[in-house]
Amino acid sequence: MVLYNNDSRKSVSVLMLLLGLFVIAAASDGKTSPVEDGLVVNGDFETPPSNGFTDDTTVQDATEIPSWRSDGTVELIKSGQKQGGMILIVPEGRHAVRLGNDAEISQELTVEKGFIYSVTFSAARTCAQLESLNVSVASDEPIASQTIDLQTLYSVQGWDPYAWAFEAVEDRVRLVFRNPGMEDDPTCGPIIDDIAVKKLFTPDKPKGNAVVNGDFEEGPWMFRNTTLGVLLPTNLDEETSSLPGWTVESNRAVRFIDSDHFSVPQGKRAVELLSGKEGIISQMVETKANVPYKMSFSLGHAGDKCKEPLAVMAFAGDQAQNFHYMAEANSSFEVSELNFTAKADRTRIAFYSVYYNTRTDDMSSLCGPVIDDVRVWFSGSSRIGFGFPVLVLVLALVFV
């Protein structure tokens, strides 16, 4: 039924009323929207508990930390807090969480089933050099888990941002951070802060290039105010990588960097190779057996005061070559190329830093060469897509 005024124009519509009722019903059907990219709820631990931030930092109740559930010896520490003669490190802001022996914190997340999600977080060790942190997601059953070694400090600041990825096999998961260690002091354990998530998408292969995400533009969440990039620890499962298309093969991390804080050859993202042979990234690209190919990549300096020389070892199939970065006044990078003949329908390409480099200003923060814009194409064709027949046609037209 529709009501009309004297001018025969619609004034009130039952349809509009029904639409309004539908919107209200949809908003109250109990369903939660999937988590958005960025900080999870209270991911920086700056939301005060119901009794406020107190001098007693030990969490007494499982639900004391807003939006989180804790189990075991968990501390809500504050910046400047001391333990003995040591000042505890809070990566960002004024508060963070420390996990004691076999302690954990967890949060329920609504996700989209079938998608890959990357979890970014900041972590620091405290009492023990061999501390580690287990990150996992679970539903009714465990879904994915990885223990990340915190022994190596990549930054002189004493903490580092990390990323870890998982596939959402359910719409509702529980994100868990647990300290698997057992120290003499039960309060010793890793500190975590700034927890964020990002739904990842695997980019399509560009035309004429066999490399997926060769420009490294798709990757984990990065905080704008974090100047350390994001470390990508060992991950041999290319299907659930925080850097789509790529795997980290070695026992140390590589660094995902952005153009806001580093020199990047092209676009907004790139990868900095750390720790020599202990920091390898690789990808299996589609090829055709017995066909010649060419691999090219941009090699450069991150602009982070990394001590030279800088060099990478590049692999393509059975070919390997050492490439040194030679700084030029008008450029922070150069393009390098490697020719190879494919032996099968998939060919491994890989990179690692030849040297163990540190920054010249503190002599302890790890750094290394930057790679970007990785391409693999049939060497009988041109990168800009003009094959030999087209070239002949163009020349014929020119000289007619």
Side-chain angles (χ1 to χ4, degrees), residues 6 12 21 40 57 71 95 140 159 170 172 186 218 259 270 272 278 296 324 335 363:
N6 292 333
V12 180
L21 292 174
V40 301
T57 58
D71 183 30
H95 300 91
D140 294 332
W159 61 274
E170 300 289 346
R172 189 81 174 170
E218 181 67 8
S259 58
E272 185 177 19
E278 295 182 276
S296 70
H324 276 73
V335 177
M363 301 303 293

Side-chain angles (χ1 to χ4, degrees), residues 306-337:
C306 195
K307 187 177 181 179
E308 297 182 358
L310 297 174
V312 299
M313 183 66 76
F315 298 84
D318 59 358
Q319 297 297 307
Q321 188 171 334
N322 188 323
F323 294 89
H324 276 73
Y325 167 67
M326 305 300 293
E328 297 182 5
N330 60 347
S331 177
S332 61
F333 70 94
E334 59 189 20
V335 177
S336 301
E337 296 183 344

Side-chain angles (χ1 to χ4, degrees), residues 34 110-117 167-172:
T110 300
V111 291
E112 292 186 60
K113 185 177 179 179
F115 282 90
I116 304 297
Y117 284 82
E167 180 181 1
V169 298
E170 300 289 346
D171 293 330
R172 189 81 174 170

Side-chain angles (χ1 to χ4, degrees), residues 2-316:
V2 180
L3 303 179
Y4 295 86
N5 62 12
N6 292 333
D7 296 327
S8 298
R9 293 177 297 181
K10 295 180 181 180
S11 59
V12 180
S13 174
V14 174
L15 179 61
M16 294 294 290
L17 178 60
L18 293 175
L19 180 60
L21 292 174
F22 174 79
V23 171
I24 294 173
S28 59
D29 64 358
K31 293 184 178 180
T32 305
S33 299
V35 62
E36 295 183 357
D37 292 351
L39 201 70
V40 301
V41 180
N42 196 26
D44 55 5
F45 304 105
E46 300 297 339
T47 302
S50 58
N51 60 339
F53 293 109
T54 65
D55 292 334
D56 184 5
T57 58
T58 302
V59 175
Q60 303 296 333
D61 183 81
T63 58
E64 182 177 330
I65 303 175
S67 302
W68 293 92
R69 183 174 184 84
S70 59
D71 183 30
T73 304
V74 176
E75 289 183 89
L76 188 57
I77 67 170
K78 53 189 176 182
S79 180
Q81 182 175 329
K82 293 183 179 180
Q83 177 173 305
M86 176 180 64
I87 297 178
L88 300 181
I89 296 174
V90 172
E92 294 287 347
R94 293 191 54 81
H95 300 91
V97 161
R98 179 163 68 163
L99 303 178
N101 286 340
D102 206 31
E104 68 177 39
I105 61 168
S106 62
Q107 182 175 139
E108 298 287 334
L109 300 178
T110 300
V111 291
E112 292 186 60
K113 185 177 179 179
F115 282 90
I116 304 297
Y117 284 82
S118 179
V119 180
T120 297
F121 59 93
S122 298
R125 68 171 193 247
T126 53
C127 310
Q129 188 177 11
L130 298 179
E131 285 177 356
S132 59
L133 181 66
N134 180 268
V135 190
S136 65
V137 289
S139 184
D140 294 332
E141 299 290 337
I143 296 174
S145 174
Q146 182 173 349
T147 298
I148 296 172
D149 177 19
L150 302 180
Q151 177 180 358
T152 301
L153 288 177
Y154 293 80
S155 165
V156 73
Q157 297 187 32
W159 61 274
D160 293 292
Y162 289 85
W164 170 77
F166 68 92
E167 180 181 1
V169 298
E170 300 289 346
D171 293 330
R172 189 81 174 170
V173 298
R174 186 168 64 99
L175 175 63
V176 184
F177 293 86
R178 185 175 67 87
N179 173 17
M182 294 297 292
E183 300 297 329
D184 293 336
D185 184 347
T187 63
C188 281
I191 295 172
I192 55 175
D193 198 4
D194 278 350
I195 300 169
V197 297
K198 180 184 177 184
K199 184 169 70 172
L200 298 177
F201 297 90
T202 301
D204 295 331
K205 283 186 297 185
K207 186 176 181 180
N209 182 11
V211 182
V212 175
N213 198 24
D215 56 5
F216 303 111
E217 293 300 302
E218 181 67 8
W221 179 263
M222 302 183 76
F223 290 101
R224 291 184 179 180
N225 60 341
T226 299
T227 61
L228 300 177
V230 177
L231 294 177
L232 306 177
T234 304
N235 180 14
L236 301 179
D237 185 358
E238 62 181 331
E239 299 299 324
T240 55
S241 170
S242 286
L243 192 63
W246 297 90
T247 62
V248 181
E249 295 185 6
S250 49
N251 60 352
R252 290 198 181 179
V254 300
R255 179 179 288 133
F256 188 56
I257 62 175
D258 64 342
S259 58
D260 292 335
H261 304 98
F262 299 86
S263 293
V264 171
Q266 67 91 28
K268 294 184 176 295
R269 305 284 188 266
V271 166
E272 185 177 19
L273 301 174
L274 314 174
S275 307
K277 295 180 181 179
E278 295 182 276
I280 304 172
I281 64 167
S282 67
Q283 181 173 149
M284 297 296 293
V285 300
E286 293 182 1
T287 53
K288 293 183 179 180
N290 302 315
V291 172
Y293 288 86
K294 185 185 295 290
M295 179 177 74
S296 70
F297 59 96
S298 295
L299 171 64
H301 195 293
D304 55 0
K305 300 181 181 179
C306 195
K307 187 177 181 179
E308 297 182 358
L310 297 174
V312 299
M313 183 66 76
F315 298 84

